Amino acid sequence: MMQFMLLFSRQGKLRLQKWYVAHPDKVKKKITRELITTILARKPKMSSFLEWKDLKVVYKRYASLYFCCAIEQNDNELLTLEIIHRYVELLDKYFGSVCELDIIFNFEKAYFILDELLVGGEIQETSKKNVLKAIAAQDLLQEEDTPQGLFDDYGLG
């Protein structure tokens, strides 16, 4: 089972975090700081897998973002790498070539896409088409709930 997923920039700025195991905030910050420092210090040709405490860490860099997951010792690193890649593919499909700014300004969508893919640290849906359908349905619902002429109604537009 996946313990958590972190997305961070080459500068070490945390852009997204999803925890599937409860930890106090202080511990989360310590773990995050430690892992970001460790991963950023590694050379590009080094393996994307590392042993860390009692977990295995799997990470992959896409453009300016690092996607990092911590998994249990008996979990498959290659499967985790595939999950990371599937998440990136979904983000790319949704945003049209995703970049760091898409994650910063649309973090709620990035979380929603992740939640459609993973639940409780386990893969929920393997079909990109089904995940994208759920996201499109959510977008449609959101559009229906948002009044278009709100500013006009109050003379603010």
Side-chain angles (χ1 to χ4, degrees):
M1 182 182 103
M2 192 178 295
Q3 304 288 305
F4 57 86
M5 180 185 274
L6 305 172
L7 268 70
F8 56 91
S9 69
R10 285 187 312 214
Q11 293 76 32
K13 299 265 189 240
L14 187 63
R15 298 302 184 201
L16 186 132
Q17 59 181 327
K18 184 71 174 186
W19 297 82
Y20 297 106
V21 175
H23 293 289
D25 284 344
K26 197 173 180 180
V27 173
K28 286 181 186 177
K29 284 184 176 129
K30 185 176 187 276
I31 290 170
T32 302
R33 189 174 49 249
E34 226 174 279
L35 274 177
I36 290 174
T37 306
T38 303
I39 291 170
L40 289 176
R42 291 171 65 88
K43 302 222 181 321
K45 298 271 187 208
M46 293 176 86
S47 169
S48 291
F49 311 132
L50 60 112
E51 300 283 327
W52 184 77
K53 299 195 177 184
D54 60 338
L55 299 171
K56 286 192 272 189
V57 174
V58 178
Y59 69 92
K60 180 96 170 102
R61 180 178 159 197
Y62 289 90
S64 65
L65 283 174
Y66 283 89
F67 291 72
C68 169
C69 297
I71 57 174
E72 294 171 356
Q73 285 293 333
N74 58 349
D75 286 339
N76 186 329
E77 300 97 328
L78 294 175
L79 182 61
T80 305
L81 212 49
E82 279 297 316
I83 291 169
I84 290 171
H85 188 70
R86 177 58 46 105
Y87 183 47
V88 171
E89 286 178 324
L90 288 165
L91 290 170
D92 266 348
K93 257 310 195 220
Y94 184 78
F95 291 112
S97 189
V98 69
C99 69
E100 191 175 344
L101 288 175
D102 290 323
I103 303 294
I104 293 169
F105 293 115
N106 300 293
F107 64 90
E108 68 285 338
K109 283 293 171 202
Y111 277 114
F112 185 78
I113 293 168
L114 184 59
D115 290 343
E116 284 298 315
L117 182 65
L118 296 169
V119 170
E122 301 284 347
I123 192 88
Q124 173 181 293
E125 180 59 71
T126 56
S127 165
K128 277 190 279 189
K129 192 158 78 171
N130 288 346
V131 171
L132 291 168
K133 262 194 231 172
I135 297 162
Q138 180 64 27
D139 283 348
L140 196 60
L141 273 175
Q142 201 170 6
E143 283 175 25
E144 289 172 4
D145 285 349
T146 308
Q148 295 300 318
L150 182 65
F151 291 115
D152 295 335
D153 295 345
Y154 294 101
L156 301 170

